């Protein structure tokens, strides 16, 4: 026994080193496993991906009858897979739900099928489904909870300056998020501790197509007219509340547009001059990265690729453009508006329904919620920000659907007016 102790110690030490190596170097893992519960059995596929030090789990669950559930989880499980330890099942009339229990007894929200269609808890509450209320009551009695289950209506507070105002649902502003609303000279900055107005321009800019968020910096081209050139950019640090200016070495033509943001740099193409730039607010620098001789940069599936000038300049190029899967259009129509985020498609139908579907099962989408008159929407790491009429909504798996602001100007100016980022 005494001889075995050093060996056991060495093995334990090597195991610890291996676990540390996994935590440091592994950024993506996939696993498949089976889970048997008291009333069902499941086949589970998990894909874990680390983005900006945050672990995201995209999970597909198929029960013994072939019924498929899709969900994703943002949780720190020490980069381990096979994270589901148990699944509770509920059925009531035409509603069936599962409630997974993860490592460390962590839980999320229910995942449900209503009339054989995958739907979220938020949508069931929107349609005033009573069966979901009884299911949630049972889970509460078992001491489980979720942020969206006890959501209450909250009052609005006015945010006013220089003749313009919005109304903010301050109690609905989630911690660690910063929500941004354009106000022509600057921004309404909505944070959980305090919402602020920060103007950093001398004159109004009504067309906001040449603004973008790069990391914590909100960047705006100094262009007063749609047909003018650009020689500088203003930026505002939406976390630390500082501002600055980026001066270009030469002015652009009047035919420019933003390709997108990659690694916290904004990429911009000057069509007439056949040049591509990066605008880096952290370094206060703008530089040429593409031209007719060397080619241009596109970002496809979150990876940079070099493209010839002849191909790139045929039409406007936007990063991570989505190729719509035929299964989506066959089932939901060819007029859907689609965005891609990690391994999921998010799409909006003409009647305002917002869906999420895993790329491996695009015809098995989950109906998240329904909003009328959606004019703008953005998706980042599973979180959604939307303008519906004059109201701005936020949706996440952790919080469900909640209004965060009311802005009457959205009735006539709603292009690139809202944005957000997570600290």
């Amino acid at each position: 026994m005494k001889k075995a102790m050093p060996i056991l110690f060495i093995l334990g030490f090597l195991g610890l080193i291996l676990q540390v190596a996994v935590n440091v170097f592994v950024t993506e893992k996939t696993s498949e496993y089976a889970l048997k519960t008291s009333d069902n059995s499941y086949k589970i596929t998990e894909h874990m991906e680390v983005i900006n030090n945050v672990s995201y789990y995209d999970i597909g669950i198929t029960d013994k009858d072939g019924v498929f559930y899709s969900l994703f989880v943002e949780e720190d499980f020490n980069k381990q897979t096979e994270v589901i330890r148990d699944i509770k099942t509920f059925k009531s009339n035409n509603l069936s739900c599962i409630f997974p229990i993860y490592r460390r007894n962590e839980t999320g929200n229910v995942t449900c099928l209503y009339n054989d269609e995958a739907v979220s808890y938020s949508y069931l509450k929107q349609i005033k489904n009573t069966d979901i209320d009884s299911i949630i009551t049972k889970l509460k009695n078992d001491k489980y909870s979720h942020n969206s289950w006890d959501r209450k209506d909250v009052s609005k507070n006015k945010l006013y300056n220089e003749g313009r105002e919005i109304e903010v649902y301050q109690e609905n502003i989630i911690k660690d998020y910063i929500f941004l609303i354009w106000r022509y000279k600057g921004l309404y900055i909505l944070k959980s501790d305090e919402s602020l107005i920060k103007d950093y321009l001398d004159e109004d800019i009504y067309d906001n197509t040449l603004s973008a968020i790069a990391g914590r910096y909100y960047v705006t081209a100094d262009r007063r007219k749609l047909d003018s050139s650009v020689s500088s950019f203003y930026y505002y640090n939406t976390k630390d509340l500082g501002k600055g200016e980026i001066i270009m070495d030469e002015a652009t033509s009047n035919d420019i547009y933003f390709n997108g943001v990659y690694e916290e740099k904004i990429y911009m193409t000057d069509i007439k001059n056949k040049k591509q730039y990066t605008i880096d607010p952290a370094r206060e620098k703008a530089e040429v990265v593409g031209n007719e001789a060397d080619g241009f940069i596109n970002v496809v599936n979150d990876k940079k690729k070099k493209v010839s000038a002849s191909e790139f300049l045929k039409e406007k190029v936007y990063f991570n453009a989505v190729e719509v899967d035929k299964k989506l259009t066959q089932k939901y129509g060819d007029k859907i508006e689609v965005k891609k985020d990690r391994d999921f498609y998010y799409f909006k139908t003409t009647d305002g329904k917002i869906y999420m579907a895993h790329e491996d099962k695009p015809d098995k989408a989950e109906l998240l919620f329904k909003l009328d008159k959606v004019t703008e929407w953005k998706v980042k790491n599973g979180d959604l920000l939307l303008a519906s009429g004059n109201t701005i909504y936020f949706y996440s798996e952790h919080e469900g659907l909640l209004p965060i602001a009311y802005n009457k100007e959205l009735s006539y100016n709603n292009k690139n007016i809202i944005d957000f980022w997570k600290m």
Side-chain angles (χ1 to χ4, degrees):
M1 183 67 183
K2 291 182 178 180
K3 293 181 179 179
M5 288 299 293
I7 297 174
L8 292 174
F9 177 79
I10 292 171
L11 290 174
F13 181 71
L14 291 174
L16 180 62
I17 292 175
L18 178 62
Q19 183 61 53
V20 170
V22 167
N23 287 340
V24 172
F25 297 110
V26 171
T27 59
E28 195 168 4
K29 279 171 69 176
T30 299
S31 66
E32 296 182 3
Y33 59 103
L35 177 68
K36 188 173 179 60
T37 65
S38 60
D39 57 359
N40 213 320
S41 60
Y42 304 90
K43 293 181 180 179
I44 303 173
T45 300
E46 289 179 4
H47 177 74
M48 184 276 295
E49 185 175 10
V50 181
I51 303 173
N52 296 328
N53 296 319
V54 179
S55 296
Y56 298 94
Y57 291 81
D58 300 330
I59 302 175
I61 301 173
T62 305
D63 72 8
K64 64 182 180 181
D65 297 320
V67 179
F68 177 78
Y69 299 88
S70 179
L71 61 150
F72 78 89
V73 182
E74 176 194 333
E75 194 66 56
D76 180 12
F77 293 121
N78 208 26
K79 297 186 179 179
Q80 298 179 67
T81 50
E82 301 190 18
V83 297
I84 296 180
R85 290 291 182 252
D86 194 12
I87 297 176
K88 294 182 178 292
T89 60
F90 302 90
K91 291 187 178 181
S92 181
N93 297 316
N94 53 354
L95 180 68
S96 60
C97 301
I98 61 169
F99 185 71
I101 300 170
Y102 306 97
R103 289 177 181 268
R104 305 169 187 165
N105 210 38
E106 295 287 345
T107 57
N109 209 339
V110 289
T111 299
C112 300
L113 296 176
Y114 177 64
N115 292 330
D116 296 323
E117 180 181 30
V119 296
S120 74
Y121 171 79
S122 293
Y123 178 73
L124 291 168
K125 294 301 292 183
Q126 279 189 315
I127 64 173
K128 296 180 171 54
N129 181 277
T130 56
D131 294 315
I132 191 62
D133 294 332
S134 62
I135 291 172
I136 297 304
T137 297
K138 291 177 183 177
L139 287 169
K140 286 182 177 179
N141 290 338
D142 289 336
K143 308 303 181 183
Y144 294 107
S145 64
H146 188 270
N147 291 346
S148 66
W149 293 351
D150 296 309
R151 186 77 63 195
K152 297 179 181 178
D153 292 336
V154 301
S155 59
K156 295 176 286 188
N157 302 324
K158 287 187 177 181
L159 202 57
Y160 175 87
N161 189 34
E162 292 187 359
R164 295 192 181 108
E165 69 175 27
I166 64 170
E167 296 178 88
V168 182
Y169 296 87
Q170 188 61 44
E171 293 177 58
N172 285 348
I173 305 302
I174 308 302
K175 185 180 179 181
D176 296 330
Y177 286 84
I178 293 182
F179 300 100
L180 306 168
I181 304 172
W182 183 246
R183 57 173 263 117
Y184 307 130
K185 280 187 178 180
L187 296 163
Y188 300 101
I189 302 176
L190 313 186
K191 302 190 293 183
S192 61
D193 56 346
E194 183 184 17
S195 291
L196 308 163
I197 293 175
K198 292 295 179 181
D199 290 337
Y200 56 94
L201 302 177
D202 295 329
E203 299 178 29
D204 288 349
I205 293 180
Y206 291 95
D207 184 293
N208 198 42
T209 52
L210 289 182
S211 286
I213 185 79
R216 67 183 64 185
Y217 301 97
Y218 197 90
V219 180
T220 302
D222 184 13
R223 184 165 78 164
R224 303 290 189 255
K225 298 179 181 180
L226 290 176
D227 60 350
S228 64
S229 62
V230 170
S231 58
S232 66
F233 296 85
Y234 295 101
Y235 68 83
Y236 199 87
N237 186 328
T238 60
K239 181 180 180 181
D240 301 323
L241 307 181
K243 61 182 180 178
E245 186 177 8
I246 303 167
I247 307 295
M248 300 184 69
D249 292 335
E250 59 180 354
T252 68
S253 74
N254 63 353
D255 194 1
I256 58 177
Y257 72 100
F258 284 174
N259 304 113
V261 179
Y262 184 72
E263 294 183 341
E264 300 188 356
K265 297 178 184 177
I266 299 167
Y267 284 72
M268 178 184 73
T269 294
D270 184 334
I271 297 175
K272 283 186 179 179
N273 291 331
K274 298 181 180 180
K275 290 183 179 180
Q276 186 180 39
Y277 298 83
T278 56
I279 299 101
D280 184 353
R283 296 169 56 220
E284 288 193 344
K285 190 175 182 63
E287 57 186 348
V288 177
V289 293
N291 54 49
E292 196 169 12
D294 299 327
F296 290 71
I297 294 172
N298 192 6
V299 176
V300 180
N301 296 325
D302 291 320
K303 294 182 180 179
K304 287 200 300 185
K305 59 179 288 190
K306 203 76 170 179
V307 181
S308 68
S310 59
E311 179 183 348
F312 192 90
L313 295 171
K314 284 191 299 186
E315 57 186 358
K316 289 186 177 181
V317 174
Y318 298 101
F319 290 172
N320 293 315
V322 180
E323 291 187 13
V324 179
D325 193 290
K326 290 182 179 179
K327 291 183 179 179
L328 285 179
T329 55
Q330 287 172 354
K331 184 169 183 178
Y332 300 98
D334 57 4
K335 294 183 179 180
I336 57 175
E337 184 180 338
V338 186
K339 301 179 186 291
K340 185 84 182 295
D341 183 62
R342 299 194 330 270
D343 296 330
F344 287 90
Y345 294 107
Y346 291 82
F347 59 96
K348 178 176 71 71
T349 61
T350 54
D351 61 350
K353 290 179 179 177
I354 305 294
Y355 288 85
M356 175 185 73
H358 195 278
E359 63 181 358
D360 292 340
K361 294 184 181 289
D363 56 340
K364 300 289 185 181
E366 178 185 7
L367 175 52
L368 300 178
F369 52 87
K370 182 180 183 298
L371 292 173
D372 295 327
K373 299 178 181 177
V374 174
T375 53
E376 183 181 11
W377 59 297
K378 298 188 176 183
V379 185
K380 297 180 183 180
N381 293 325
D383 299 328
L384 289 86
L385 187 67
L386 310 94
S388 171
N390 291 328
T391 303
I392 300 166
Y393 291 88
F394 175 72
Y395 176 87
S396 75
E397 171 65 20
H398 284 295
E399 304 296 337
L401 181 68
L402 62 164
I404 62 168
Y406 176 89
N407 182 8
K408 60 184 179 181
E409 306 242 351
L410 289 170
S411 295
Y412 49 88
N413 192 350
N414 48 50
K415 190 172 184 179
N416 198 36
I417 300 299
I418 60 173
D419 217 321
F420 73 106
W421 65 282
K422 187 176 182 181
M423 291 186 282

